[in-house]
Amino acid sequence: MQGSALKGSPSDQRLDIVVTGDEGSVRLDRVLAVHSPDLSRSRLKSLILSGDVSIMKKASVAERTEGPAPVHDPAYHVVPGDTITIHVPPAISAKPQGEAIALDIIYEDNDLIVINKPKGLVVHPAAGHHAGTLVNALIAHCGESLSGIGGVCRPGIVHRLDKDTTGVMVAAKNDAAHRSLSAQFADHGRTGAMRRGYLAFVWGLPNRAHGTVDAPIDRHPHAREKMAVRAGGREAITHWEVRQVFNGRDGKPVAALLACQLATGRTHQIRVHLAHAGHPLMGDDVYGPHFKTKASHLGPRAAAALSALGRQALHASLLVLEHPRTEKVLRWETGLPEDLSSLQTALAAAE
């Protein structure tokens, strides 16, 4: 094995490995573990999945027919003579740092802070998003008061919104508030005042004015970054009602605005449930890609507004909860952000 520091970045490393065939396995991750004892197996797996491991096949080395190609599968089979290159980026601190990121604060006191989250803001650090998150902004704004119950990477966080979902979010500023808010979110209004409301622009028009999707959600069996309705998954219940109907160029309903309320809080719940019901969110390329052709039924103005949206058309519009200290019922409601308001106007005009 040969390793050398990358120029211009002393904390980066490049390790070159030639497969000998004596490693005891043909799996990429296990071969790397033999040649790179200083890197843990979990670290090696992470590097493979992130595209930091490339392989030049033995034939390519001899004939110089092609360069190294990234391999994303830890179980990929290598052969003797293959050259593996590992790019080891500098380690990232497990503890997020405060960053001066502007927050649209709706309410704040000594126990909690409520914000109107913009699109594109990741809630907490994770793979691929180690900075520029809501947590980084909260650390800078709240300082040492922020609750640590959620863990070092999620201080103050009691619930989440997807990166491109906008709307009302609350965070705990101390441990007592964190415990209270977490209990309320776990209860989902079954015995208390908690309510979470969303506005969702969906393709098509449901055949009734209101309804409920009661279908368990679990990880997708093949695409691990997605969720899916699956038998044996965790209970998931979404209530919805039609607020507005939008006609297409032919005068027939092509989309609708739904008001949704959560009775549970699963990852991607509304997106998964509405797609399962046959009415995926407009702009949702993960759960509604087969509905892209529906855009041809929109007028030019509406089609342009949808194209400019660049995200799923979902907004967390309402949050009701009991204050963790005073037990007073508090309610926050936010209107549609500019991009969804423009979409709504264009859809309503059927132009």
Side-chain angles (χ1 to χ4, degrees), residues 130-207:
H130 297 286
T133 71
L134 175 59
V135 161
N136 297 105
L138 289 174
I139 291 173
H141 180 82
C142 301
E144 294 299 321
S145 71
L146 206 60
S147 170
I149 290 179
V152 68
C153 288
R154 305 183 185 185
I157 301 301
V158 294
H159 71 123
R160 293 180 294 173
L161 294 178
D162 293 343
K163 172 186 174 183
D164 288 325
T165 297
T166 54
V168 188
M169 272 199 69
V170 63
K173 295 178 69 175
N174 55 62
D175 290 351
H178 199 129
R179 284 189 287 268
S180 172
L181 294 175
S182 294
Q184 292 185 58
F185 276 94
D187 184 64
H188 286 288
R190 293 183 180 90
T191 62
M194 165 70 70
R195 288 176 60 200
R196 298 171 67 185
Y198 292 76
L199 294 175
F201 292 83
V202 303
W203 287 113
L205 176 63
N207 58 10

Side-chain angles (χ1 to χ4, degrees), residues 313-328:
L314 183 63
H315 177 68
S317 59
L318 173 69
L319 178 61
V320 179
L321 53 79
E322 293 181 8
H323 191 279
R325 186 183 301 272
T326 68
E327 298 184 352
K328 179 181 178 181

Side-chain angles (χ1 to χ4, degrees), residues 2-73:
Q2 296 177 338
S4 60
L6 291 176
K7 293 181 179 180
S9 182
S11 55
D12 281 18
Q13 279 191 313
R14 169 178 161 171
L15 305 176
D16 295 316
I17 297 167
V18 177
V19 181
T20 64
D22 298 327
E23 292 84 4
S25 175
V26 297
R27 281 178 57 113
L28 173 60
D29 56 352
R30 293 174 184 172
V31 170
L32 292 184
V34 171
H35 288 279
S36 310
D38 292 338
L39 297 173
S40 68
R41 293 201 174 191
S42 61
R43 176 69 164 144
L44 287 169
K45 181 179 179 180
S46 176
L47 290 171
I48 295 169
L49 295 175
S50 63
D52 288 309
V53 174
S54 300
I55 295 179
M56 180 178 286
K57 302 301 295 179
K58 178 181 179 181
S60 299
V61 174
E63 302 169 12
R64 299 297 176 189
T65 57
E66 58 184 67
V71 175
H72 300 274
D73 181 7

Side-chain angles (χ1 to χ4, degrees), residues 199-203 246 256-257 280-282 313 336 340 343-344 347:
L199 294 175
F201 292 83
V202 303
W203 287 113
F246 306 110
L257 173 61
L281 292 173
M282 301 181 78
L336 293 171
L340 290 182
L343 177 64
Q344 181 184 35
L347 288 169

